[in-house]
Amino acid sequence: MLANQRREKILELLKEDGSAKVVDLARLFKVTEVTIRQDLDKLDKEGLVVKEHGGAFLKNVEDQVRNFALANQENLDKKELIAAKCLEFIDDGDTIILDSGSTTTEIAKQLAGNNRVLTVITNALNIALMLGVETGIEVIMTGGEFKPPTLSLTGQKAADFFKGLNAQKLFLATAGLSLKAGLTYPSISDLVVKKAMIESAETTYLVADSTKIGKSAFASLGALSLIDYIITDGGIQEKHKQLFHDNEIEVIIAD
């Protein structure tokens, strides 16, 4: 991995977890601690992170948490379309899992005030607060470790929560997906949670705007065959449609 690529992946991880230690980053990227410190020095000078003894943390993360704002607000118009399409696949009486993320947050926004009767299981604090005041919606939260930038709970305790649970539908987020890497995420701690969600759901809908298709983040969850449907926007390329078709995954276009 080239230095620029590694720094990009480090920044993605910090945007997901909020902070990281030098020793952990060195182990993850299989480089020396000296190399990681040089990477963090550069990211710090660019104003993207704040370097501290033994590691670094994401700049402005405290403001994000106080304002309950997600960092990733790119392609919001596409995410709103995808969220609206998702509502067509949610029926009254369903038990659904809403993963944390900006697209799933849009689903929650559109469920709010929609007079639905649902049980919603989520690891996202912002989604729980958004839907917790809805009369017809019962909200159940996982436990786990708090990740400030994504306002979510993660780790083995969050994964263990799903043991023995059964939901009709899971709306799963991703940072990137491709044939080679499969479903990918910036943070390793999320992988056990995503797997547990998939195992608890009868049907898995991946919600991802078209810019994420063909890209990959740091950690791979597994093959595309883990999902049943992908709900995306009209910007998806024909070659990617064929890729999903070849893997027996139905593509649903939000327009």
Side-chain angles (χ1 to χ4, degrees), residues 33-58:
E33 292 184 20
V34 172
T35 298
I36 292 297
R37 289 192 185 95
Q38 291 171 345
D39 289 335
L40 295 178
D41 278 337
K42 185 166 180 59
L43 291 171
D44 185 290
K45 288 175 182 176
E46 292 174 356
L48 299 171
V49 307
V50 177
K51 188 181 176 185
E52 60 180 358
H53 179 70
F57 60 90
L58 187 65

Side-chain angles (χ1 to χ4, degrees), residues 217-230:
F218 179 71
S220 176
L221 176 65
L224 296 178
S225 57
L226 289 169
I227 64 175
D228 301 297
Y229 300 88
I230 177 169

Side-chain angles (χ1 to χ4, degrees), residues 55-128:
F57 60 90
L58 187 65
K59 193 173 183 180
N60 299 325
V61 69
E62 289 185 9
D63 291 336
Q64 289 174 24
V65 173
R66 289 194 187 99
N67 297 322
F68 242 62
L70 294 177
N72 185 8
Q73 294 297 322
E74 297 173 350
N75 303 305
L76 192 57
D77 55 338
K78 294 181 174 67
K79 294 171 183 178
E80 289 172 346
L81 286 173
I82 292 167
K85 177 60 72 172
C86 288
L87 263 61
E88 297 178 16
F89 298 91
I90 299 174
D91 301 313
D92 275 357
D94 276 347
T95 295
I96 67 171
I97 302 170
L98 286 183
D99 190 11
S100 60
S102 52
T103 306
T104 49
T105 294
E106 291 304 315
I107 297 173
K109 285 181 182 178
Q110 297 195 32
L111 282 173
N114 207 261
N115 298 317
R116 296 297 188 103
V117 178
L118 300 168
T119 298
V120 176
I121 305 168
T122 186
N123 65 326
L125 293 176
N126 60 325
I127 289 176

